[in-house]
Amino acid sequence: MGRGSSGLRVSPPVSGKSVRQRFDRLVREVAKFGAVGGAGLLVNLLVFNLVRHVTDLQVVRASVIATVVAIIFNYIGFRYFTYRDRDKSRRTKELSLFLLFSAVGLVIENGVLYAATYGFGWDSPLQSNVFKFLGIGIATLFRFWSYRTWVFRALPTTEPAPSAESFLEPPRGPAAQERRVGQRVG
């Protein structure tokens, strides 16, 4: 990185290839997140319906139990599949943040179900599943953002070391042209 005329560091322009690579990585991450999340969704709905039919628990309590089981399932899937290449050095902090953001997601998810059940009286098994699914969808948006931003942090990218031949090549780019023009004038 060279210095511009203001003396501030000028970052190199982002190449189309770099944008494409970042986009491809994001697509793969979303696909893996979706695979784990989809399996977690099935676990969540299966446990929810099982608890509802086997016990006499109220709908939101059954939902909270199902969400906790799905959170445990999802952590294992995210850590060892979706984000296996991410920083593993601070597992205690990672797990604490995961549980914190999962708890917020739990409140979002079950808040939707609570509002539908106790606010509007929609308590049939079909209605409960629809609003549980809707709550999961809204909470998933929050979870994706928070997990990738705060929990499973990306390792710093390392740029490859320049080859010995690169030191022999003349500098390129706007900053190099500016230096060459300045050398000719002065």
Side-chain angles (χ1 to χ4, degrees):
M1 280 193 243
R3 293 199 182 265
S5 59
S6 65
L8 298 174
R9 288 196 181 271
V10 178
S11 27
V14 177
S15 71
K17 186 177 180 182
S18 175
V19 170
R20 177 69 182 178
Q21 288 172 338
R22 285 191 287 174
F23 180 74
D24 288 345
R25 277 194 310 264
L26 179 63
V27 167
R28 282 191 302 273
E29 180 183 344
V30 168
K32 287 179 175 182
F33 187 91
V36 172
L41 170 72
L42 291 176
V43 167
N44 197 330
L45 292 174
L46 287 171
V47 171
F48 172 65
N49 284 295
L50 182 67
V51 171
R52 282 252 6 236
H53 292 359
V54 173
T55 69
D56 291 331
L57 286 177
Q58 296 172 338
V59 67
V60 176
R61 289 183 182 164
S63 180
V64 169
I65 291 169
T67 303
V68 169
V69 171
I71 286 170
I72 294 166
F73 176 88
N74 286 346
Y75 178 77
I76 294 167
F78 291 143
R79 168 45 45 218
Y80 297 104
F81 178 67
T82 305
Y83 298 113
R84 70 174 170 249
D85 60 333
R86 298 288 177 97
D87 185 12
K88 297 177 183 86
S89 63
R90 298 182 217 128
R91 284 284 175 96
T92 304
K93 182 178 180 183
E94 174 187 287
L95 186 56
S96 300
L97 287 171
F98 181 84
L99 292 174
L100 171 72
F101 291 122
S102 293
V104 173
L106 182 142
V107 170
I108 293 169
E109 176 183 327
N110 291 293
V112 170
L113 183 60
Y114 182 90
T117 303
Y118 299 110
F120 297 102
W122 297 328
D123 193 23
S124 75
L126 176 62
Q127 291 168 330
S128 294
N129 278 288
V130 166
F131 288 103
K132 172 106 174 122
F133 184 80
L134 180 64
I136 290 170
I138 295 167
T140 296
L141 295 174
F142 168 77
R143 288 177 177 135
F144 178 72
W145 169 79
S146 62
Y147 293 166
R148 79 180 309 261
T149 304
W150 300 102
V151 180
F152 301 107
R153 300 198 54 143
L155 291 169
T157 57
T158 56
E159 295 181 18
S163 66
E165 292 82 23
S166 68
F167 289 108
L168 301 175
E169 295 175 5
R172 294 186 183 136
Q177 288 175 344
E178 193 175 295
R179 273 185 272 149
R180 275 182 270 175
V181 170
Q183 290 170 350
R184 287 184 200 142
V185 173

